[in-house]
Amino acid sequence: MSYRDLFKFTESMRSLGFHQQISMDSFHSPNFALVSEVLLWLALRFEPDINLPHEIETSEQRVYFIRSIVEFFVLKTNIKLNVKKIYQADRNAVGELLKITDLLNDALNAKIAYENESVSKLDINLTYKANELKTTRELASKITQKGATLFRSLEEESELRPIRDNRVNGALDINEVEQSLKTLIEKTKRETSHIKDLIKNVSATEANLDAKIAKRREDLERNSKRLNTLKQVRPAFLEEFEDLESELRNLYQEYITRQRCISYLEHQQEQVAQAELMHMQEQQEMTKKIIENNKQDDDLKLLEGVNNESFNNQFLENTPDISIKGRVSSAATSRNRSMFDHLTDSETDSDLMLDDEDSNIMASDGELSTSKAEKLGSIHSDSDN
């Protein structure tokens, strides 16, 4: 046994997962205990429920053990082992053990390779099966049709069997056979003549097609030459067309620019109009506020003047001197006139501040000033009296 085989055996046992480390020097001398342990472990790898003898103390027990192991491997794995070499339990036994370990390693490697190959070929198998799906459907439909035809034929078999038996068992009529053969010969001759006519027609048709093809080729060459000539000739109106096209492009650009400017100016005009409208509204509101404030001031002044006049009248009534009454009444009259003039001037100024849209407000102010003047006139008349 070579060193290479011994190294291979130790590596195989390590890859198979043997629980004990086997060294290279384990088989320099006979080691029946190790050989028996390896054989039992390998047998259990093939069949875990096997019942083999474990006693190897005496020579009879060892012989019985080796015989049982050899029979097991012959029956289960079809591996023939040399009993003498195994019984020696040295380097010669390693060669016999390699037969078993090689089988297990090949099975393990085949399993790993099959798993990798199955993963890699999964997509290919799916594609292949998808391609076979159409063929499978067609075959299924054909099988159904053939089955239906066979079923009908079997139903007709009960009627056709007596006729077939009569034909087979009956004597042949020479005249009838001769007539049938003549009929078949005539039919064959007719078919042959028809086929010959078709062949002649095919040759004539082929000649016609060749003539048409030649004519089409001539037309194609003529049209190709004409096309090349037209490509080389420049039309007379093409330059004018190009000039008009460039001019149209420039006009379009100018139109776009003007349209953009017009849109911008319209937008600006709208903004200015909105600003003016808001300014006018603000001015109107301010004017209304000023008018209301002036009205309130005038009303207060009017009330103060009326109160002063009533007080002066009471004072004059209680005063006996007529000259004093005249002076007081003249002073009151002049004060009332100055107040009336002031009211008229303020109302005139407020009317000038209003625009055309506030004409209704001005009319109401005029009526109010008229009523005030009438009141003042009545006050003056009372004071004169």
Side-chain angles (χ1 to χ4, degrees):
M1 177 57 59
S2 63
Y3 177 82
R4 179 181 178 183
D5 294 336
L6 185 60
F7 179 76
K8 183 179 179 182
F9 174 73
T10 56
E11 291 297 326
S12 298
M13 294 299 293
R14 186 182 296 110
S15 63
L16 290 174
F18 188 62
H19 59 276
Q20 183 179 352
Q21 186 71 24
I22 299 175
S23 64
M24 300 290 292
D25 299 332
S26 299
F27 298 98
H28 282 298
S29 59
N31 191 354
F32 194 84
L34 180 60
V35 172
S36 63
E37 187 177 0
V38 170
L39 288 172
L40 281 173
W41 186 80
L42 292 174
L44 292 173
R45 289 295 299 269
F46 281 100
E47 188 173 349
D49 298 333
I50 189 173
N51 187 9
L52 293 173
H54 297 277
E55 292 80 5
I56 56 173
E57 295 177 357
T58 62
S59 60
E60 290 82 4
Q61 291 176 352
R62 293 176 183 176
V63 171
Y64 181 69
F65 171 76
I66 291 173
R67 184 181 295 174
S68 301
I69 288 292
V70 170
E71 289 178 356
F72 171 77
F73 282 111
V74 169
L75 294 175
K76 294 295 182 180
T77 63
N78 198 18
I79 297 175
K80 295 180 180 180
L81 301 175
N82 193 339
V83 179
K84 292 182 179 180
K85 291 182 178 180
I86 293 174
Y87 190 78
Q88 291 176 5
D90 54 1
R91 289 177 177 270
N92 295 321
V94 175
E96 301 300 321
L97 296 174
L98 270 175
K99 296 178 182 179
I100 305 171
T101 56
D102 289 342
L103 181 62
L104 290 173
N105 281 323
D106 292 340
L108 184 62
N109 294 329
K111 181 180 179 181
I112 296 171
Y114 177 75
E115 290 177 355
N116 295 330
E117 186 177 0
S118 62
V119 172
S120 62
K121 290 184 177 180
L122 181 60
D123 297 334
I124 299 173
N125 291 332
L126 291 175
T127 306
Y128 180 71
K129 289 180 180 179
N131 293 329
E132 284 186 348
L133 182 60
K134 185 177 180 180
T135 306
T136 305
R137 290 178 178 175
E138 292 178 356
L139 291 175
S141 62
K142 288 182 180 179
I143 289 169
T144 305
Q145 293 176 0
K146 295 294 183 182
T149 305
L150 181 61
F151 180 75
R152 288 194 296 270
S153 299
L154 291 174
E155 286 182 347
E156 295 175 356
E157 178 65 19
S158 60
E159 298 177 359
L160 296 176
R161 184 179 296 173
I163 299 171
R164 186 174 62 251
D165 292 338
N166 292 330
R167 291 292 183 181
V168 171
N169 296 326
L172 294 176
D173 189 0
I174 302 299
N175 295 325
E176 186 177 356
V177 172
E178 185 178 0
Q179 186 66 29
S180 299
L181 291 174
K182 287 181 180 180
T183 304
L184 291 174
I185 290 169
E186 291 294 332
K187 184 178 180 181
T188 305
K189 287 181 179 180
R190 287 196 299 271
E191 290 179 355
T192 304
S193 62
H194 180 67
I195 291 170
K196 288 180 179 180
D197 293 336
L198 290 176
I199 292 170
K200 291 179 181 179
N201 293 330
V202 166
S203 60
T205 305
E206 185 178 359
N208 293 328
L209 290 174
D210 291 337
K212 289 181 180 179
I213 290 169
K215 185 177 180 180
R216 294 291 183 183
R217 285 178 180 174
E218 292 177 357
D219 294 338
L220 179 61
E221 291 177 357
R222 185 170 57 256
N223 291 326
S224 299
K225 291 179 181 179
R226 185 178 179 184
L227 178 62
N228 293 327
T229 304
L230 292 174
K231 286 181 179 179
Q232 293 176 0
V233 175
R234 184 178 178 83
F237 58 86
L238 187 60
E239 294 180 357
E240 184 179 0
F241 174 76
E242 291 177 353
D243 295 337
L244 292 174
E245 187 177 5
S246 61
E247 185 178 358
L248 179 62
R249 191 179 295 107
N250 295 329
L251 291 174
Y252 180 72
Q253 292 294 333
E254 185 178 357
Y255 168 75
I256 292 296
T257 304
R258 290 185 178 182
Q259 195 69 22
R260 189 182 296 114
C261 293
I262 290 170
S263 300
Y264 177 74
L265 292 174
E266 289 178 353
H267 179 66
Q268 292 292 328
Q269 185 179 4
E270 290 178 358
Q271 289 183 351
V272 170
Q274 290 179 359
E276 290 180 354
L277 181 61
M278 292 176 66
H279 183 66
M280 290 175 64
Q281 290 177 356
E282 290 177 357
Q283 287 183 352
Q284 290 177 3
E285 291 178 357
M286 290 176 64
T287 304
K288 289 179 181 179
K289 289 180 180 179
I290 292 169
I291 292 170
E292 290 177 357
N293 293 329
N294 291 331
K295 286 180 181 180
Q296 292 177 1
D297 294 338
D298 294 340
D299 293 336
L300 291 174
K301 290 179 180 180
L302 181 61
L303 292 174
E304 289 177 356
V306 171
N307 292 329
N308 292 328
E309 185 66 26
S310 61
F311 177 76
N312 291 329
N313 291 330
Q314 292 177 1
F315 179 75
L316 291 174
E317 289 176 357
N318 295 325
T319 303
D321 192 357
I322 298 172
S323 61
I324 295 171
K325 290 182 180 180
R327 286 195 298 270
V328 172
S329 62
S330 62
T333 303
S334 62
R335 187 171 57 253
N336 290 331
R337 287 179 180 177
S338 62
M339 186 182 297
F340 179 75
D341 294 335
H342 182 267
L343 289 173
T344 305
D345 293 336
S346 63
E347 289 175 358
T348 304
D349 294 335
S350 63
D351 292 337
L352 291 174
M353 292 174 65
L354 294 174
D355 54 0
D356 294 336
E357 294 179 357
D358 297 330
S359 60
N360 294 326
I361 297 172
M362 291 172 65
S364 62
D365 292 338
E367 292 176 358
L368 182 61
S369 62
T370 304
S371 62
K372 289 178 181 179
E374 291 177 355
K375 289 180 181 180
L376 290 174
S378 62
I379 291 169
H380 291 165
S381 62
D382 293 336
S383 62
D384 292 334
N385 294 326

